[in-house]
Amino acid sequence: MERPYVVGIDIGGTNTVFGIVDARGNIIDSGKVKTQTYLSPDKYVNDVCENLLPLIDKIGGLERIKGVGVGAPNGNYYTGTIEFAPNLPWKGVIPLAAMFEERLNVPTALTNDANAAAVGEMTYGAARGLKNFIMITLGTGVGSGIVINGQVVYGHDGFAGELGHVCVDRKTGRPCGCGRKGCLETYCSATGVARTARELLTSRTEPSVLRDIPADDITSKDVYEAAEQGDVIAKDIFEYTGRILGEALSDFIAFSSPEAIILFGGLAKSGDYILRPIQRAMEENVLNIYKGKTRLFVSELKDSDAAVLGASALAWELKD
Amino acid sequence: MERPYVVGIDIGGTNTVFGIVDARGNIIDSGKVKTQTYLSPDKYVNDVCENLLPLIDKIGGLERIKGVGVGAPNGNYYTGTIEFAPNLPWKGVIPLAAMFEERLNVPTALTNDANAAAVGEMTYGAARGLKNFIMITLGTGVGSGIVINGQVVYGHDGFAGELGHVCVDRKTGRPCGCGRKGCLETYCSATGVARTARELLTSRTEPSVLRDIPADDITSKDVYEAAEQGDVIAKDIFEYTGRILGEALSDFIAFSSPEAIILFGGLAKSGDYILRPIQRAMEENVLNIYKGKTRLFVSELKDSDAAVLGASALAWELKD
């Protein structure tokens, strides 16, 4: 292979992480810059490239790089732009793919982080060989990457796959950061779990080790550790969260009938405490013709690597 | 064109209608048999073919037919079978595509009626040139055909796109024929509209011309005619139904971000009485990034022709 490497750049609100990746998903080298400190996207792209180029030189220079993949919030695959990303310092529409392409002279693809995660899973992870699956990312928010016939679904405008904002309770749902209410994300994100913890700790009287943690700081990791100690309220937080997610998944199945749904992110690491209620609610609520057909499992990619791997995987799909 | 015609066969619970169709969507000739009277699928296929072959002879024989397309309830595109169709006289899994192919010696494709409607709309109707759209069929039930990147979404098992069975009210929803409750179909199908009419006529005291019709017999056409006379309850039936459908559509948009949603069937013929509340609820509930982007309109195909055209359109996609 003449160009055996790709570059993955994952743009987060706090940090930007980039790495050089080989075809088997090994991250050969990596680095990072602090996204938040760059008020100008030009300076940002420049600094990312200045940090990246020495790593590229070490593996033989730009002619060994097949392409660059960028994962970014509100990233649009069709245009290569990020558009009005609320957690990034740059306002409006920023043509990031073109900016990297111009600076590095290597073909560059860009999409949002959840779509990148799906491509990464398909290229290096648990979804190898799968043509129809849905990736659900459970982080600060809830994102999704939908793959149908082996292709990520981008929709007519590049913004398809916002399953975190499907409404699970239109009447009495929680307010969402998007301005609507009852979005799946308000229950199954990190903040959703913390809110559920607060609500259960208030409405119930049992003792719980979670009562020792300031309610706003409770993470799914705390809940997991409490559940491991046999904490009843902690287990019920996972039951509640898992049921809502499983019900939502049963509707997603009616859309694209995927062979698998893959979970990724903090909450997904809570093992059977969360997986069992998700699986149960999914199977109980799914239409008969789909019962028992859709596998549910957790991403195989390491959290710390997944974002860069996902972004990098986009680059293998670039046409020469 | 050496083979300028295709055959469309639409299998309904009561009748099977078949026709010979040209590339512009003209039905050159057609016929029908009564589905219900055939206890054996062999005899059924035989009789359909015996009625069809004289029509084919009139246009120059089987060598002028590019392919046969079949639309059938519970039809599976991948296997060419119908599987456990509750409204057909044959139980279990019936390999209908293979049976027609064997009898006529012409390549045959089969899918469910809503997917066929989507292909028909894309081939001959309002969706020509569209690559990403969702067809919603509002009939006895609610069906859907989803097109992404110009391809019908069949899912991993051939059964994707059952949006009539997405849950719109998990807590207090109406019981559905599928055994679950709160399915979209229980509100937006013909029986759903009749039920809404019954509920509103019972809970409210205003006069209504609908009170003169036996409650179980009320159709969306009756409601339309009442609305045309200024009937307040009739208009509210459409408001209620349209709001529920519009809310559901706003979630479908978060999945595949289609450029259009196309409505087909009895309810869709009620004009602005139903379209305005659908459109309003859809736009009010859709995530900001999608607002104003997805067009909503009614199928251009004639009701009486649409099923045969849809089935026939499948045949153009067959490989030679």
Side-chain angles (χ1 to χ4, degrees):
Chain A
M1 201 187 310
E2 205 183 316
R3 293 177 179 268
Y5 302 110
V6 287
V7 168
I9 302 175
D10 176 65
I11 306 179
T14 309
N15 288 311
T16 292
V17 186
F18 44 83
I20 298 170
V21 180
D22 71 15
R24 293 162 67 186
N26 300 305
I27 299 179
I28 306 294
D29 211 340
S30 65
K32 67 176 166 182
V33 304
K34 290 219 167 298
T35 318
Q36 276 175 333
T37 58
Y38 294 94
L39 296 179
S40 140
D42 295 294
K43 175 87 171 99
Y44 165 80
V45 168
N46 190 64
D47 275 21
V48 169
C49 293
E50 286 199 351
N51 282 277
L52 178 59
L53 282 167
L55 313 185
I56 292 175
D57 283 341
K58 279 199 269 176
I59 54 95
L62 280 166
E63 62 274 19
R64 305 264 285 161
I65 302 290
K66 179 169 181 352
V68 174
V70 183
N74 292 42
N76 186 319
Y77 179 77
Y78 294 137
T79 57
T81 57
I82 56 170
E83 309 193 6
F84 309 100
N87 300 319
L88 294 184
W90 320 304
K91 302 308 155 204
V93 178
I94 313 288
L96 270 185
M99 291 164 76
F100 278 112
E101 206 164 271
E102 191 175 322
R103 184 71 168 70
L104 298 171
N105 200 25
V106 171
T108 302
L110 176 151
T111 190
N112 75 37
D113 21 13
N115 287 339
V119 182
E121 204 69 38
M122 190 161 47
T123 309
Y124 312 116
R128 267 171 298 187
L130 299 189
K131 296 285 184 200
N132 291 280
F133 70 95
I134 299 177
M135 180 98 183
I136 304 283
T137 60
L138 302 159
T140 315
V142 172
S144 63
I146 303 163
V147 172
I148 291 178
N149 296 334
Q151 301 170 322
V152 175
V153 175
Y154 293 112
H156 85 286
D157 61 350
F159 288 124
E162 286 291 350
L163 299 184
H165 294 282
V166 158
C167 188
V168 299
D169 185 348
R170 221 168 278 283
K171 284 171 190 154
T172 58
R174 296 175 177 178
C176 184
C178 74
R180 295 142 74 238
K181 67 179 184 180
C183 293
L184 180 62
E185 171 165 307
T186 65
Y187 298 90
C188 301
S189 63
T191 48
V193 170
R195 176 164 175 169
T196 301
R198 281 200 303 278
E199 287 181 3
L200 284 188
L201 290 169
T202 305
S203 67
R204 289 171 47 170
T205 54
E206 294 105 311
S208 167
V209 296
L210 294 172
R211 295 191 189 280
D212 301 334
I213 306 172
D216 284 334
D217 298 344
I218 294 173
T219 65
S220 60
K221 186 154 173 282
D222 297 324
V223 183
Y224 173 75
E225 284 165 4
E228 281 284 84
Q229 295 172 47
D231 195 287
V232 176
I233 289 186
K235 289 182 185 169
D236 285 353
I237 292 168
F238 286 134
E239 283 289 329
Y240 179 86
T241 309
R243 181 177 55 75
I244 290 175
L245 182 52
E247 288 170 354
L249 297 183
S250 75
D251 279 343
F252 302 163
I253 293 173
F255 202 102
S256 66
S257 192
E259 54 203 305
I261 293 176
I262 307 176
L263 306 177
F264 178 81
L267 191 55
K269 283 183 292 191
S270 305
D272 280 346
Y273 294 118
I274 189 75
L275 287 177
R276 281 208 190 120
I278 297 173
Q279 178 91 47
R280 195 186 316 125
M282 184 177 103
E283 286 299 332
E284 273 175 17
N285 285 279
V286 82
L287 193 62
N288 263 323
I289 50 168
Y290 305 123
K291 266 196 210 303
K293 287 184 178 176
T294 303
R295 284 186 297 143
L296 177 75
F297 56 87
V298 174
S299 165
E300 283 180 0
L301 300 180
K302 259 202 306 181
D303 256 36
S304 55
D305 295 349
V308 164
L309 288 178
S312 80
L314 281 178
W316 294 118
E317 307 197 335
L318 284 162
K319 301 277 186 297
D320 285 319
Chain B
M1 200 186 314
E2 204 183 316
R3 293 178 180 268
Y5 302 110
V6 287
V7 169
I9 303 175
D10 177 65
I11 305 180
T14 310
N15 289 311
T16 293
V17 186
F18 44 84
I20 298 171
V21 179
D22 71 14
R24 292 162 67 186
N26 300 305
I27 299 179
I28 306 294
D29 211 341
S30 65
K32 67 176 164 182
V33 305
K34 290 220 168 298
T35 318
Q36 277 175 332
T37 58
Y38 293 93
L39 296 178
S40 141
D42 296 293
K43 175 89 169 97
Y44 165 80
V45 168
N46 190 65
D47 275 21
V48 169
C49 293
E50 285 199 350
N51 281 277
L52 178 59
L53 282 166
L55 313 185
I56 292 174
D57 282 342
K58 280 200 270 175
I59 54 97
L62 279 165
E63 62 274 19
R64 305 264 286 163
I65 302 291
K66 178 170 181 355
V68 175
V70 183
N74 292 41
N76 186 319
Y77 179 76
Y78 294 137
T79 58
T81 57
I82 55 171
E83 307 193 7
F84 309 101
N87 300 318
L88 294 184
W90 320 304
K91 302 309 155 205
V93 178
I94 314 288
L96 270 186
M99 290 164 76
F100 278 112
E101 207 165 270
E102 192 175 322
R103 185 71 167 70
L104 297 172
N105 200 24
V106 170
T108 301
L110 175 151
T111 190
N112 76 37
D113 21 14
N115 287 340
V119 183
E121 204 69 38
M122 191 161 47
T123 309
Y124 312 117
R128 266 172 298 187
L130 298 189
K131 296 284 185 201
N132 291 279
F133 70 95
I134 298 176
M135 180 98 184
I136 304 283
T137 60
L138 303 159
T140 315
V142 171
S144 64
I146 303 164
V147 172
I148 291 178
N149 296 336
Q151 300 170 322
V152 175
V153 174
Y154 294 112
H156 84 287
D157 61 349
F159 288 123
E162 287 290 350
L163 299 185
H165 294 283
V166 157
C167 187
V168 299
D169 185 349
R170 222 168 278 282
K171 284 171 191 155
T172 58
R174 297 175 177 177
C176 184
C178 74
R180 294 142 75 238
K181 66 178 185 180
C183 294
L184 180 62
E185 171 165 308
T186 65
Y187 298 90
C188 301
S189 62
T191 47
V193 170
R195 177 165 174 168
T196 301
R198 282 200 303 279
E199 288 182 2
L200 284 188
L201 290 169
T202 305
S203 66
R204 289 173 43 173
T205 54
E206 295 106 311
S208 168
V209 296
L210 295 171
R211 295 192 189 280
D212 301 335
I213 306 172
D216 284 334
D217 298 344
I218 294 174
T219 65
S220 60
K221 186 154 173 282
D222 297 324
V223 182
Y224 173 75
E225 284 164 4
E228 282 283 84
Q229 296 172 46
D231 195 287
V232 175
I233 289 185
K235 289 182 185 169
D236 285 353
I237 293 167
F238 286 134
E239 283 289 329
Y240 179 86
T241 310
R243 180 178 56 75
I244 290 174
L245 182 52
E247 288 170 352
L249 297 183
S250 75
D251 279 342
F252 302 163
I253 292 173
F255 202 101
S256 67
S257 191
E259 54 204 304
I261 293 175
I262 307 177
L263 306 176
F264 178 81
L267 191 55
K269 283 183 293 190
S270 304
D272 281 346
Y273 294 117
I274 188 75
L275 287 178
R276 281 207 190 121
I278 297 172
Q279 178 90 47
R280 195 187 316 126
M282 183 178 103
E283 287 298 333
E284 273 175 17
N285 286 278
V286 82
L287 192 62
N288 262 325
I289 51 169
Y290 305 123
K291 266 195 208 304
K293 287 183 178 176
T294 302
R295 284 187 297 141
L296 178 76
F297 55 87
V298 174
S299 165
E300 283 179 0
L301 300 179
K302 259 203 306 181
D303 257 36
S304 54
D305 295 349
V308 164
L309 287 179
S312 79
L314 281 178
W316 294 118
E317 306 196 338
L318 284 161
K319 302 276 187 298
D320 286 319

